[in-house]
Amino acid sequence: MEKEQCEGYEYFSGFKDVDQTNAETISQALLQILVQIWGFDLTKLRGQGYDGCATMSGEISGVQRRIQDSFPEAKYFVYCKSHRLNLVIVNTCSSVVEACNGMTILGKITRFVCGVSKRKAILKKKTQVQQDDKDLDFDLLYEREDALFGAAKRQKVMPKLAETRWTSMIVILSWLLVHYQSILNVLETIKAQLKGQAAADASSYHVVLLKFDFIVAAVMLQYTLGYIRPSSV
């Protein structure tokens, strides 16, 4: 076959729950679903791709080694590009104090508001489905911006912060920019209706959200990750 006629395709097959996250359990689960459920002929398997953790990529007893022991031709290992990209983003942002502090605070606010049913109910009541522009607008434009903000406008509940995958943080950053005034109203309501530490925390988070440094960090991170995210999926 001519080289020009060869094309590679990528398909999503599905998810599989496992009881444990050790290499033996994961490799057995993969082999089971690949053969018994999805019907792949693994004698034709030539390569594997995972992140860099020892459980998945370990050369002695990791998942890649166990699968290669069963199918020796699957000897070409590729480090997951999405995981590598995430590590680059993490290392880069770690040197930017405003970015680290901003995401740390945002994570705390998420857990503070959504971690308690009463506060989450206030959030749902105060947050409206946005029809027009986002609360915190800016003039930085990029491809797929409408899709990201469109999804955030339809979502009333504050999304959870995925602290280990920075590219996914754009979801909560987009939501924050769309519902910025709403989350300020939520914190004001919590401060007014509750007492003790909850009221004090709400007051502190409200002050932080109004700080210029936090707003700039949130806008620039959302803008930057908006460009990077398509490369990670």
Side-chain angles (χ1 to χ4, degrees), residues 104-191:
T104 299
I105 291 296
L106 190 53
K108 290 181 178 180
I109 293 174
T110 303
R111 291 187 290 272
F112 174 75
V113 174
C114 300
V116 179
S117 298
K118 189 173 183 178
R119 300 172 198 165
K120 194 172 183 178
I122 296 175
L123 174 66
K124 290 181 179 179
K125 184 177 180 180
K126 293 289 183 179
T127 305
Q128 302 296 324
V129 175
Q130 295 279 35
Q131 301 296 333
D132 301 318
D133 293 335
K134 44 194 175 291
D135 284 345
L136 196 59
D137 209 348
F138 52 91
D139 293 331
L140 300 175
L141 301 175
Y142 54 88
E143 189 178 359
R144 301 185 185 180
E145 179 189 79
D146 291 341
L148 285 169
F149 284 120
K153 289 177 182 179
R154 295 188 296 270
Q155 188 172 4
K156 294 181 65 176
V157 179
M158 194 176 194
K160 293 182 179 179
L161 178 66
E163 298 182 6
T164 57
R165 192 176 182 210
W166 273 66
T167 49
S168 66
M169 291 181 180
I170 191 172
V171 176
I172 189 171
L173 286 167
S174 300
W175 188 94
L176 174 69
L177 298 180
V178 169
H179 301 285
Y180 180 74
Q181 187 58 54
S182 295
I183 194 64
L184 288 176
N185 294 340
V186 168
L187 293 173
E188 289 178 350
T189 302
I190 293 174
K191 181 174 64 174

Side-chain angles (χ1 to χ4, degrees), residues 11-73:
Y11 297 99
F12 173 74
S13 298
F15 291 105
K16 171 66 176 178
D17 289 328
V18 292
D19 297 328
Q20 302 180 58
T21 55
N22 55 62
E24 181 179 4
T25 301
I26 294 174
S27 58
Q28 289 178 353
L30 278 174
L31 292 174
Q32 178 188 20
I33 60 177
L34 285 172
V35 176
Q36 297 180 13
I37 298 179
W38 298 331
F40 288 109
D41 179 6
L42 295 189
T43 61
K44 298 179 180 179
L45 182 63
R46 296 295 181 269
Q48 305 176 61
Y50 310 108
D51 63 24
C53 71
T55 299
M56 301 303 298
S57 305
E59 297 182 359
I60 298 176
S61 61
V63 170
Q64 69 130 335
R65 168 51 59 187
R66 291 171 184 271
I67 291 181
Q68 188 179 339
D69 288 343
S70 299
F71 299 93
E73 295 300 320

